[in-house]
Amino acid sequence: RKEVEQDPGPFNVPEGATVAFNCTYSNSASQSFFWYRQDCRKEPKLLMSVYSSGNEDGRFTAQLNRASQYISLLIRDSKLSDSATYLCVVNDRGKLIFGQGTELSVKP
Amino acid sequence: GAVVSQHPSRVICKSGTSVKIECRSLDFQATTMFWYRQFPKQSLMLMATSNEGSKATYEQGVEKDKFLINHASLTLSTLTVTSAHPEDSSFYICSASDRVYEQYFGPGTRLTVT
């Protein structure tokens, strides 16, 4: 079993759509969780951290369920500029473990 | 956020030669630097963790004699791919950290071995 697993994608959605990404992790002792965004041929950039209480940043909402070892990212009112690969990342004793990423393509 | 640079951004080399990639933290002191590799359509895979002044810790399956890491100062780490082969062609990304839970990524180096 992979340490961090994500929806395979790709997700092709129209502008304005709401899209949800899911992620599961295998190590229950993992300490912190993130969503990163990676554009084609670029380095990953931190989108947001994920907390048990859930957190929101504009159109983006992230949630963590420690009991189910499940992380989600919701993007509302998708923009063309949201097109990218979204990486679910788990911090395991100081090491970042990356999921394989889910590709999102937002179409006009 | 903190700035991390990598040099070169892109390199093409012949099989059998060695390539050095530099990773610098520009506006902070990085106690720890990480080296990742990413093949097309795959995720980032951690290769090694290096702390300033000590030997790097390599992940399982990563050959330490092939991927030489030097973390000589708090702002510079280098990765040397020795005797490169076409299967080493990949996107190499470093990150630097001044705290346990926050890493800042460099822009990556695309290596092509012909």
mmCIF file of all heavy atoms in Angstrom, chain A residues 6 31-32 34 36 38 40-46 87 91 93-101 103, chain B residues 10 34 36 38 41-46 49 57 59 91 93 95 100-103 105-108 110:
data_model
loop_
_atom_site.group_PDB
_atom_site.id
_atom_site.type_symbol
_atom_site.label_atom_id
_atom_site.label_comp_id
_atom_site.label_asym_id
_atom_site.label_seq_id
_atom_site.Cartn_x
_atom_site.Cartn_y
_atom_site.Cartn_z
ATOM 1 N N GLN A 6 -3.884 9.178 -3.707
ATOM 2 C CA GLN A 6 -4.826 10.201 -4.173
ATOM 3 C C GLN A 6 -5.664 9.667 -5.315
ATOM 4 O O GLN A 6 -5.290 8.700 -5.991
ATOM 5 C CB GLN A 6 -4.062 11.427 -4.700
ATOM 6 C CG GLN A 6 -3.288 12.180 -3.669
ATOM 7 C CD GLN A 6 -2.653 13.422 -4.274
ATOM 8 O OE1 GLN A 6 -1.431 13.556 -4.265
ATOM 9 N NE2 GLN A 6 -3.465 14.330 -4.775
ATOM 10 N N GLN A 31 2.197 13.561 11.396
ATOM 11 C CA GLN A 31 1.982 14.704 12.287
ATOM 12 C C GLN A 31 1.354 15.924 11.635
ATOM 13 O O GLN A 31 0.642 16.679 12.286
ATOM 14 C CB GLN A 31 3.331 15.090 12.907
ATOM 15 C CG GLN A 31 3.931 13.973 13.735
ATOM 16 C CD GLN A 31 5.443 14.079 13.823
ATOM 17 O OE1 GLN A 31 6.130 14.375 12.860
ATOM 18 N NE2 GLN A 31 5.968 13.833 15.006
ATOM 19 N N SER A 32 1.658 16.149 10.392
ATOM 20 C CA SER A 32 1.088 17.330 9.749
ATOM 21 C C SER A 32 0.843 17.039 8.280
ATOM 22 O O SER A 32 1.443 16.129 7.705
ATOM 23 C CB SER A 32 1.979 18.553 9.949
ATOM 24 O OG SER A 32 3.303 18.289 9.564
ATOM 25 N N PHE A 34 -0.544 18.613 4.267
ATOM 26 C CA PHE A 34 -0.553 19.783 3.398
ATOM 27 C C PHE A 34 -1.150 19.433 2.049
ATOM 28 O O PHE A 34 -1.145 18.279 1.613
ATOM 29 C CB PHE A 34 0.895 20.269 3.155
ATOM 30 C CG PHE A 34 1.708 20.419 4.414
ATOM 31 C CD1 PHE A 34 2.456 19.361 4.887
ATOM 32 C CD2 PHE A 34 1.714 21.615 5.105
ATOM 33 C CE1 PHE A 34 3.210 19.481 6.047
ATOM 34 C CE2 PHE A 34 2.463 21.750 6.268
ATOM 35 C CZ PHE A 34 3.215 20.680 6.729
ATOM 36 N N TYR A 36 -0.213 20.772 -1.794
ATOM 37 C CA TYR A 36 0.673 21.541 -2.642
ATOM 38 C C TYR A 36 0.087 21.583 -4.044
ATOM 39 O O TYR A 36 -0.647 20.701 -4.461
ATOM 40 C CB TYR A 36 2.064 20.890 -2.725
ATOM 41 C CG TYR A 36 2.995 21.201 -1.585
ATOM 42 C CD1 TYR A 36 2.821 20.628 -0.330
ATOM 43 C CD2 TYR A 36 4.070 22.066 -1.768
ATOM 44 C CE1 TYR A 36 3.693 20.904 0.715
ATOM 45 C CE2 TYR A 36 4.949 22.350 -0.726
ATOM 46 C CZ TYR A 36 4.744 21.754 0.506
ATOM 47 O OH TYR A 36 5.613 22.033 1.542
ATOM 48 N N GLN A 38 1.334 21.922 -8.076
ATOM 49 C CA GLN A 38 2.503 21.864 -8.958
ATOM 50 C C GLN A 38 2.061 22.140 -10.388
ATOM 51 O O GLN A 38 1.226 21.409 -10.946
ATOM 52 C CB GLN A 38 3.208 20.509 -8.878
ATOM 53 C CG GLN A 38 4.507 20.469 -9.670
ATOM 54 C CD GLN A 38 5.292 19.184 -9.484
ATOM 55 O OE1 GLN A 38 4.731 18.136 -9.191
ATOM 56 N NE2 GLN A 38 6.613 19.254 -9.643
ATOM 57 N N CYS A 40 3.050 22.522 -14.470
ATOM 58 C CA CYS A 40 3.849 21.665 -15.349
ATOM 59 C C CYS A 40 5.320 22.095 -15.354
ATOM 60 O O CYS A 40 5.637 23.268 -15.598
ATOM 61 C CB CYS A 40 3.262 21.721 -16.755
ATOM 62 S SG CYS A 40 4.015 20.555 -17.878
ATOM 63 N N ARG A 41 6.204 21.156 -15.066
ATOM 64 C CA ARG A 41 7.645 21.368 -15.127
ATOM 65 C C ARG A 41 8.145 22.423 -14.133
ATOM 66 O O ARG A 41 9.156 23.075 -14.352
ATOM 67 C CB ARG A 41 8.065 21.737 -16.546
ATOM 68 C CG ARG A 41 7.642 20.697 -17.579
ATOM 69 C CD ARG A 41 7.927 21.182 -18.994
ATOM 70 N NE ARG A 41 9.313 20.952 -19.386
ATOM 71 C CZ ARG A 41 9.780 19.819 -19.850
ATOM 72 N NH1 ARG A 41 8.991 18.770 -19.967
ATOM 73 N NH2 ARG A 41 11.039 19.698 -20.189
ATOM 74 N N LYS A 42 7.391 22.587 -13.051
ATOM 75 C CA LYS A 42 7.801 23.534 -12.019
ATOM 76 C C LYS A 42 7.889 22.816 -10.674
ATOM 77 O O LYS A 42 7.441 21.680 -10.536
ATOM 78 C CB LYS A 42 6.757 24.662 -11.896
ATOM 79 C CG LYS A 42 6.548 25.458 -13.159
ATOM 80 C CD LYS A 42 7.612 26.496 -13.344
ATOM 81 C CE LYS A 42 7.267 27.419 -14.489
ATOM 82 N NZ LYS A 42 8.317 28.425 -14.711
ATOM 83 N N GLU A 43 8.431 23.530 -9.685
ATOM 84 C CA GLU A 43 8.484 22.943 -8.356
ATOM 85 C C GLU A 43 7.119 23.038 -7.664
ATOM 86 O O GLU A 43 6.298 23.889 -8.014
ATOM 87 C CB GLU A 43 9.550 23.665 -7.496
ATOM 88 C CG GLU A 43 9.135 25.017 -6.932
ATOM 89 C CD GLU A 43 9.334 26.163 -7.917
ATOM 90 O OE1 GLU A 43 9.386 25.919 -9.146
ATOM 91 O OE2 GLU A 43 9.397 27.304 -7.440
ATOM 92 N N PRO A 44 6.858 22.186 -6.673
ATOM 93 C CA PRO A 44 5.588 22.285 -5.933
ATOM 94 C C PRO A 44 5.577 23.527 -5.060
ATOM 95 O O PRO A 44 6.608 23.943 -4.531
ATOM 96 C CB PRO A 44 5.583 21.010 -5.082
ATOM 97 C CG PRO A 44 7.012 20.614 -4.959
ATOM 98 C CD PRO A 44 7.702 21.092 -6.190
ATOM 99 N N LYS A 45 4.393 24.095 -4.938
ATOM 100 C CA LYS A 45 4.224 25.270 -4.085
ATOM 101 C C LYS A 45 3.139 24.981 -3.052
ATOM 102 O O LYS A 45 2.092 24.415 -3.387
ATOM 103 C CB LYS A 45 3.843 26.493 -4.917
ATOM 104 C CG LYS A 45 4.956 26.959 -5.850
ATOM 105 C CD LYS A 45 4.593 28.264 -6.515
ATOM 106 C CE LYS A 45 5.621 28.664 -7.565
ATOM 107 N NZ LYS A 45 6.925 28.991 -6.979
ATOM 108 N N LEU A 46 3.392 25.380 -1.824
ATOM 109 C CA LEU A 46 2.440 25.124 -0.750
ATOM 110 C C LEU A 46 1.135 25.867 -1.008
ATOM 111 O O LEU A 46 1.133 27.085 -1.190
ATOM 112 C CB LEU A 46 3.039 25.551 0.589
ATOM 113 C CG LEU A 46 2.146 25.352 1.810
ATOM 114 C CD1 LEU A 46 1.835 23.865 2.035
ATOM 115 C CD2 LEU A 46 2.803 25.955 3.041
ATOM 116 N N LEU A 87 -1.070 18.065 -5.082
ATOM 117 C CA LEU A 87 -0.340 17.013 -4.370
ATOM 118 C C LEU A 87 -0.744 16.988 -2.898
ATOM 119 O O LEU A 87 -0.674 18.012 -2.214
ATOM 120 C CB LEU A 87 1.168 17.261 -4.460
ATOM 121 C CG LEU A 87 1.756 17.380 -5.869
ATOM 122 C CD1 LEU A 87 3.180 17.912 -5.801
ATOM 123 C CD2 LEU A 87 1.740 16.035 -6.550
ATOM 124 N N ASN A 91 3.595 14.914 6.455
ATOM 125 C CA ASN A 91 4.876 15.036 7.135
ATOM 126 C C ASN A 91 5.015 13.872 8.115
ATOM 127 O O ASN A 91 4.219 13.734 9.044
ATOM 128 C CB ASN A 91 4.972 16.366 7.877
ATOM 129 C CG ASN A 91 6.352 16.599 8.474
ATOM 130 O OD1 ASN A 91 6.926 15.714 9.108
ATOM 131 N ND2 ASN A 91 6.879 17.774 8.269
ATOM 132 N N ARG A 93 7.652 12.492 10.571
ATOM 133 C CA ARG A 93 8.892 12.682 11.326
ATOM 134 C C ARG A 93 9.890 13.546 10.556
ATOM 135 O O ARG A 93 11.077 13.234 10.473
ATOM 136 C CB ARG A 93 9.519 11.325 11.665
ATOM 137 C CG ARG A 93 8.732 10.528 12.675
ATOM 138 C CD ARG A 93 9.139 9.062 12.670
ATOM 139 N NE ARG A 93 8.803 8.416 11.416
ATOM 140 C CZ ARG A 93 9.141 7.156 11.104
ATOM 141 N NH1 ARG A 93 9.820 6.433 11.953
ATOM 142 N NH2 ARG A 93 8.806 6.632 9.932
ATOM 143 N N GLY A 94 9.393 14.634 10.036
ATOM 144 C CA GLY A 94 10.253 15.597 9.355
ATOM 145 C C GLY A 94 10.428 15.346 7.876
ATOM 146 O O GLY A 94 10.970 16.183 7.164
ATOM 147 N N LYS A 95 9.981 14.215 7.384
ATOM 148 C CA LYS A 95 10.073 13.926 5.951
ATOM 149 C C LYS A 95 8.716 14.161 5.307
ATOM 150 O O LYS A 95 7.689 13.745 5.834
ATOM 151 C CB LYS A 95 10.447 12.455 5.726
ATOM 152 C CG LYS A 95 11.830 12.063 6.170
ATOM 153 C CD LYS A 95 12.054 10.600 5.847
ATOM 154 C CE LYS A 95 13.378 10.116 6.383
ATOM 155 N NZ LYS A 95 13.581 8.681 6.124
ATOM 156 N N LEU A 96 8.736 14.813 4.153
ATOM 157 C CA LEU A 96 7.500 15.014 3.403
ATOM 158 C C LEU A 96 7.288 13.821 2.469
ATOM 159 O O LEU A 96 8.162 13.482 1.678
ATOM 160 C CB LEU A 96 7.567 16.300 2.591
ATOM 161 C CG LEU A 96 7.624 17.601 3.385
ATOM 162 C CD1 LEU A 96 7.550 18.794 2.430
ATOM 163 C CD2 LEU A 96 6.519 17.677 4.412
ATOM 164 N N ILE A 97 6.123 13.217 2.599
ATOM 165 C CA ILE A 97 5.752 12.098 1.735
ATOM 166 C C ILE A 97 4.674 12.607 0.785
ATOM 167 O O ILE A 97 3.616 13.062 1.226
ATOM 168 C CB ILE A 97 5.204 10.906 2.541
ATOM 169 C CG1 ILE A 97 6.137 10.558 3.711
ATOM 170 C CG2 ILE A 97 4.986 9.703 1.623
ATOM 171 C CD1 ILE A 97 7.510 10.111 3.294
ATOM 172 N N PHE A 98 4.944 12.530 -0.517
ATOM 173 C CA PHE A 98 4.042 13.087 -1.513
ATOM 174 C C PHE A 98 3.149 12.005 -2.113
ATOM 175 O O PHE A 98 3.606 10.911 -2.428
ATOM 176 C CB PHE A 98 4.842 13.721 -2.648
ATOM 177 C CG PHE A 98 5.483 15.035 -2.296
ATOM 178 C CD1 PHE A 98 6.650 15.070 -1.544
ATOM 179 C CD2 PHE A 98 4.927 16.231 -2.710
ATOM 180 C CE1 PHE A 98 7.242 16.278 -1.214
ATOM 181 C CE2 PHE A 98 5.511 17.434 -2.390
ATOM 182 C CZ PHE A 98 6.666 17.464 -1.640
ATOM 183 N N GLY A 99 1.894 12.349 -2.316
ATOM 184 C CA GLY A 99 1.027 11.526 -3.134
ATOM 185 C C GLY A 99 1.406 11.713 -4.600
ATOM 186 O O GLY A 99 2.199 12.585 -4.944
ATOM 187 N N GLN A 100 0.810 10.876 -5.452
ATOM 188 C CA GLN A 100 1.179 10.941 -6.872
ATOM 189 C C GLN A 100 0.578 12.137 -7.582
ATOM 190 O O GLN A 100 0.950 12.431 -8.712
ATOM 191 C CB GLN A 100 0.800 9.631 -7.595
ATOM 192 C CG GLN A 100 -0.690 9.461 -7.866
ATOM 193 C CD GLN A 100 -1.398 8.735 -6.745
ATOM 194 O OE1 GLN A 100 -1.049 8.840 -5.587
ATOM 195 N NE2 GLN A 100 -2.423 7.975 -7.119
ATOM 196 N N GLY A 101 -0.343 12.812 -6.922
ATOM 197 C CA GLY A 101 -0.920 14.015 -7.512
ATOM 198 C C GLY A 101 -2.174 13.739 -8.318
ATOM 199 O O GLY A 101 -2.336 12.655 -8.887
ATOM 200 N N GLU A 103 -4.357 15.576 -11.358
ATOM 201 C CA GLU A 103 -4.325 16.654 -12.343
ATOM 202 C C GLU A 103 -5.710 17.272 -12.499
ATOM 203 O O GLU A 103 -6.708 16.566 -12.650
ATOM 204 C CB GLU A 103 -3.844 16.104 -13.684
ATOM 205 C CG GLU A 103 -3.632 17.158 -14.749
ATOM 206 C CD GLU A 103 -3.121 16.548 -16.050
ATOM 207 O OE1 GLU A 103 -2.647 15.403 -16.031
ATOM 208 O OE2 GLU A 103 -3.231 17.230 -17.076
ATOM 209 N N ARG B 10 18.624 23.657 -16.016
ATOM 210 C CA ARG B 10 18.508 22.586 -16.998
ATOM 211 C C ARG B 10 19.916 22.184 -17.429
ATOM 212 O O ARG B 10 20.778 23.047 -17.594
ATOM 213 C CB ARG B 10 17.714 23.065 -18.203
ATOM 214 C CG ARG B 10 17.555 22.039 -19.312
ATOM 215 C CD ARG B 10 16.674 22.582 -20.413
ATOM 216 N NE ARG B 10 15.300 22.741 -19.947
ATOM 217 C CZ ARG B 10 14.277 22.993 -20.750
ATOM 218 N NH1 ARG B 10 14.467 23.133 -22.049
ATOM 219 N NH2 ARG B 10 13.059 23.139 -20.274
ATOM 220 N N PHE B 34 16.855 18.901 1.667
ATOM 221 C CA PHE B 34 16.322 17.639 1.159
ATOM 222 C C PHE B 34 16.497 17.607 -0.359
ATOM 223 O O PHE B 34 16.343 18.635 -1.026
ATOM 224 C CB PHE B 34 14.832 17.517 1.475
ATOM 225 C CG PHE B 34 14.499 17.608 2.944
ATOM 226 C CD1 PHE B 34 14.340 18.841 3.552
ATOM 227 C CD2 PHE B 34 14.331 16.463 3.703
ATOM 228 C CE1 PHE B 34 14.020 18.933 4.906
ATOM 229 C CE2 PHE B 34 14.012 16.542 5.054
ATOM 230 C CZ PHE B 34 13.862 17.781 5.654
ATOM 231 N N TYR B 36 15.030 15.688 -3.803
ATOM 232 C CA TYR B 36 13.960 14.864 -4.346
ATOM 233 C C TYR B 36 14.227 14.615 -5.835
ATOM 234 O O TYR B 36 14.919 15.385 -6.498
ATOM 235 C CB TYR B 36 12.609 15.589 -4.238
ATOM 236 C CG TYR B 36 12.132 15.866 -2.828
ATOM 237 C CD1 TYR B 36 12.569 16.991 -2.135
ATOM 238 C CD2 TYR B 36 11.223 15.018 -2.195
ATOM 239 C CE1 TYR B 36 12.128 17.253 -0.847
ATOM 240 C CE2 TYR B 36 10.756 15.277 -0.910
ATOM 241 C CZ TYR B 36 11.223 16.402 -0.247
ATOM 242 O OH TYR B 36 10.772 16.666 1.029
ATOM 243 N N GLN B 38 11.881 13.519 -9.397
ATOM 244 C CA GLN B 38 10.535 13.327 -9.924
ATOM 245 C C GLN B 38 10.620 12.896 -11.375
ATOM 246 O O GLN B 38 11.093 13.656 -12.230
ATOM 247 C CB GLN B 38 9.710 14.609 -9.807
ATOM 248 C CG GLN B 38 8.253 14.431 -10.227
ATOM 249 C CD GLN B 38 7.427 15.696 -10.026
ATOM 250 O OE1 GLN B 38 7.925 16.805 -10.150
ATOM 251 N NE2 GLN B 38 6.147 15.541 -9.706
ATOM 252 N N LYS B 41 5.121 12.200 -14.804
ATOM 253 C CA LYS B 41 3.831 11.673 -14.372
ATOM 254 C C LYS B 41 3.914 10.932 -13.031
ATOM 255 O O LYS B 41 3.002 10.179 -12.688
ATOM 256 C CB LYS B 41 3.242 10.721 -15.440
ATOM 257 C CG LYS B 41 2.970 11.387 -16.771
ATOM 258 C CD LYS B 41 1.839 12.376 -16.664
ATOM 259 C CE LYS B 41 1.503 12.948 -18.042
ATOM 260 N NZ LYS B 41 0.449 13.972 -17.945
ATOM 261 N N GLN B 42 4.966 11.148 -12.307
ATOM 262 C CA GLN B 42 5.086 10.508 -10.994
ATOM 263 C C GLN B 42 5.275 11.571 -9.919
ATOM 264 O O GLN B 42 5.484 12.743 -10.218
ATOM 265 C CB GLN B 42 6.266 9.528 -10.982
ATOM 266 C CG GLN B 42 6.077 8.333 -11.897
ATOM 267 C CD GLN B 42 7.175 7.310 -11.741
ATOM 268 O OE1 GLN B 42 7.778 7.166 -10.673
ATOM 269 N NE2 GLN B 42 7.434 6.580 -12.813
ATOM 270 N N SER B 43 5.202 11.133 -8.682
ATOM 271 C CA SER B 43 5.314 12.089 -7.592
ATOM 272 C C SER B 43 6.772 12.332 -7.231
ATOM 273 O O SER B 43 7.671 11.651 -7.721
ATOM 274 C CB SER B 43 4.560 11.563 -6.376
ATOM 275 O OG SER B 43 4.456 12.569 -5.404
ATOM 276 N N LEU B 44 6.985 13.317 -6.379
ATOM 277 C CA LEU B 44 8.328 13.565 -5.871
ATOM 278 C C LEU B 44 8.710 12.424 -4.922
ATOM 279 O O LEU B 44 7.931 12.036 -4.061
ATOM 280 C CB LEU B 44 8.377 14.871 -5.073
ATOM 281 C CG LEU B 44 8.546 16.153 -5.852
ATOM 282 C CD1 LEU B 44 7.256 16.534 -6.535
ATOM 283 C CD2 LEU B 44 9.015 17.278 -4.941
ATOM 284 N N MET B 45 9.925 11.953 -5.095
ATOM 285 C CA MET B 45 10.435 10.911 -4.204
ATOM 286 C C MET B 45 11.655 11.453 -3.490
ATOM 287 O O MET B 45 12.598 11.929 -4.129
ATOM 288 C CB MET B 45 10.812 9.662 -5.004
ATOM 289 C CG MET B 45 9.642 8.994 -5.689
ATOM 290 S SD MET B 45 8.385 8.408 -4.534
ATOM 291 C CE MET B 45 9.296 7.148 -3.664
ATOM 292 N N LEU B 46 11.649 11.375 -2.170
ATOM 293 C CA LEU B 46 12.779 11.845 -1.394
ATOM 294 C C LEU B 46 13.977 10.933 -1.641
ATOM 295 O O LEU B 46 13.855 9.699 -1.551
ATOM 296 C CB LEU B 46 12.425 11.854 0.100
ATOM 297 C CG LEU B 46 13.511 12.300 1.054
ATOM 298 C CD1 LEU B 46 13.861 13.773 0.833
ATOM 299 C CD2 LEU B 46 13.069 12.095 2.511
ATOM 300 N N THR B 49 18.367 13.249 2.870
ATOM 301 C CA THR B 49 18.264 14.386 3.783
ATOM 302 C C THR B 49 19.669 14.743 4.230
ATOM 303 O O THR B 49 20.441 13.855 4.620
ATOM 304 C CB THR B 49 17.424 14.006 5.008
ATOM 305 O OG1 THR B 49 16.145 13.561 4.569
ATOM 306 C CG2 THR B 49 17.271 15.187 5.944
ATOM 307 N N THR B 57 21.680 11.427 4.904
ATOM 308 C CA THR B 57 20.942 10.182 5.150
ATOM 309 C C THR B 57 20.154 9.853 3.891
ATOM 310 O O THR B 57 19.300 10.638 3.469
ATOM 311 C CB THR B 57 19.965 10.352 6.325
ATOM 312 O OG1 THR B 57 20.685 10.737 7.483
ATOM 313 C CG2 THR B 57 19.227 9.048 6.591
ATOM 314 N N GLU B 59 17.633 7.611 1.397
ATOM 315 C CA GLU B 59 16.455 6.763 1.437
ATOM 316 C C GLU B 59 16.805 5.385 0.832
ATOM 317 O O GLU B 59 17.761 5.247 0.064
ATOM 318 C CB GLU B 59 15.305 7.391 0.664
ATOM 319 C CG GLU B 59 14.812 8.676 1.295
ATOM 320 C CD GLU B 59 14.289 8.488 2.707
ATOM 321 O OE1 GLU B 59 13.329 7.691 2.896
ATOM 322 O OE2 GLU B 59 14.832 9.136 3.625
ATOM 323 N N PHE B 91 13.775 15.136 -13.039
ATOM 324 C CA PHE B 91 13.648 16.480 -12.476
ATOM 325 C C PHE B 91 14.112 16.376 -11.026
ATOM 326 O O PHE B 91 13.519 15.647 -10.241
ATOM 327 C CB PHE B 91 12.181 16.915 -12.574
ATOM 328 C CG PHE B 91 11.903 18.355 -12.259
ATOM 329 C CD1 PHE B 91 12.718 19.372 -12.749
ATOM 330 C CD2 PHE B 91 10.796 18.718 -11.502
ATOM 331 C CE1 PHE B 91 12.448 20.709 -12.485
ATOM 332 C CE2 PHE B 91 10.517 20.056 -11.236
ATOM 333 C CZ PHE B 91 11.350 21.048 -11.730
ATOM 334 N N ILE B 93 14.784 18.177 -7.472
ATOM 335 C CA ILE B 93 14.315 19.350 -6.716
ATOM 336 C C ILE B 93 14.890 19.294 -5.309
ATOM 337 O O ILE B 93 14.867 18.243 -4.666
ATOM 338 C CB ILE B 93 12.778 19.374 -6.609
ATOM 339 C CG1 ILE B 93 12.129 19.246 -7.980
ATOM 340 C CG2 ILE B 93 12.294 20.649 -5.926
ATOM 341 C CD1 ILE B 93 10.614 19.133 -7.916
ATOM 342 N N SER B 95 14.904 21.097 -1.365
ATOM 343 C CA SER B 95 14.166 21.967 -0.457
ATOM 344 C C SER B 95 15.037 22.242 0.750
ATOM 345 O O SER B 95 15.957 21.475 1.058
ATOM 346 C CB SER B 95 12.830 21.345 -0.030
ATOM 347 O OG SER B 95 13.050 20.271 0.859
ATOM 348 N N VAL B 100 11.439 22.086 11.616
ATOM 349 C CA VAL B 100 11.116 20.698 11.288
ATOM 350 C C VAL B 100 9.979 20.594 10.279
ATOM 351 O O VAL B 100 9.995 19.769 9.390
ATOM 352 C CB VAL B 100 10.758 19.911 12.565
ATOM 353 C CG1 VAL B 100 10.303 18.492 12.217
ATOM 354 C CG2 VAL B 100 11.958 19.863 13.499
ATOM 355 N N TYR B 101 8.984 21.466 10.394
ATOM 356 C CA TYR B 101 7.771 21.229 9.620
ATOM 357 C C TYR B 101 7.603 22.126 8.399
ATOM 358 O O TYR B 101 6.605 22.053 7.731
ATOM 359 C CB TYR B 101 6.540 21.366 10.534
ATOM 360 C CG TYR B 101 6.533 20.315 11.615
ATOM 361 C CD1 TYR B 101 6.767 20.654 12.934
ATOM 362 C CD2 TYR B 101 6.312 18.985 11.295
ATOM 363 C CE1 TYR B 101 6.779 19.688 13.917
ATOM 364 C CE2 TYR B 101 6.321 18.011 12.276
ATOM 365 C CZ TYR B 101 6.555 18.366 13.580
ATOM 366 O OH TYR B 101 6.567 17.407 14.553
ATOM 367 N N GLU B 102 8.561 22.953 8.108
ATOM 368 C CA GLU B 102 8.391 23.829 6.963
ATOM 369 C C GLU B 102 9.556 23.663 6.003
ATOM 370 O O GLU B 102 10.711 23.755 6.400
ATOM 371 C CB GLU B 102 8.319 25.287 7.446
ATOM 372 C CG GLU B 102 7.720 26.228 6.444
ATOM 373 C CD GLU B 102 7.067 27.433 7.087
ATOM 374 O OE1 GLU B 102 7.127 27.568 8.327
ATOM 375 O OE2 GLU B 102 6.498 28.246 6.350
ATOM 376 N N GLN B 103 9.239 23.383 4.752
ATOM 377 C CA GLN B 103 10.260 23.237 3.725
ATOM 378 C C GLN B 103 9.964 24.200 2.590
ATOM 379 O O GLN B 103 8.819 24.371 2.198
ATOM 380 C CB GLN B 103 10.271 21.813 3.169
ATOM 381 C CG GLN B 103 10.735 20.750 4.157
ATOM 382 C CD GLN B 103 10.873 19.384 3.523
ATOM 383 O OE1 GLN B 103 11.114 19.258 2.324
ATOM 384 N NE2 GLN B 103 10.723 18.339 4.318
ATOM 385 N N PHE B 105 10.914 25.001 -1.373
ATOM 386 C CA PHE B 105 11.432 24.265 -2.523
ATOM 387 C C PHE B 105 12.184 25.167 -3.491
ATOM 388 O O PHE B 105 11.801 26.323 -3.716
ATOM 389 C CB PHE B 105 10.288 23.571 -3.264
ATOM 390 C CG PHE B 105 9.793 22.349 -2.545
ATOM 391 C CD1 PHE B 105 8.836 22.460 -1.547
ATOM 392 C CD2 PHE B 105 10.304 21.101 -2.841
ATOM 393 C CE1 PHE B 105 8.396 21.344 -0.864
ATOM 394 C CE2 PHE B 105 9.862 19.973 -2.155
ATOM 395 C CZ PHE B 105 8.911 20.096 -1.162
ATOM 396 N N GLY B 106 13.242 24.616 -4.064
ATOM 397 C CA GLY B 106 13.919 25.275 -5.167
ATOM 398 C C GLY B 106 13.132 25.052 -6.449
ATOM 399 O O GLY B 106 12.206 24.231 -6.486
ATOM 400 N N PRO B 107 13.499 25.751 -7.524
ATOM 401 C CA PRO B 107 12.763 25.656 -8.785
ATOM 402 C C PRO B 107 13.038 24.383 -9.571
ATOM 403 O O PRO B 107 12.396 24.137 -10.581
ATOM 404 C CB PRO B 107 13.244 26.889 -9.558
ATOM 405 C CG PRO B 107 14.593 27.166 -9.005
ATOM 406 C CD PRO B 107 14.554 26.766 -7.558
ATOM 407 N N GLY B 108 13.978 23.572 -9.129
ATOM 408 C CA GLY B 108 14.230 22.300 -9.793
ATOM 409 C C GLY B 108 15.296 22.378 -10.872
ATOM 410 O O GLY B 108 15.580 23.454 -11.432
ATOM 411 N N ARG B 110 16.317 20.203 -14.373
ATOM 412 C CA ARG B 110 15.930 19.132 -15.296
ATOM 413 C C ARG B 110 17.190 18.550 -15.919
ATOM 414 O O ARG B 110 17.902 19.243 -16.633
ATOM 415 C CB ARG B 110 14.992 19.674 -16.371
ATOM 416 C CG ARG B 110 14.261 18.571 -17.130
ATOM 417 C CD ARG B 110 13.006 19.105 -17.812
ATOM 418 N NE ARG B 110 12.039 19.652 -16.876
ATOM 419 C CZ ARG B 110 11.173 18.933 -16.165
ATOM 420 N NH1 ARG B 110 11.150 17.612 -16.281
ATOM 421 N NH2 ARG B 110 10.322 19.520 -15.357
#
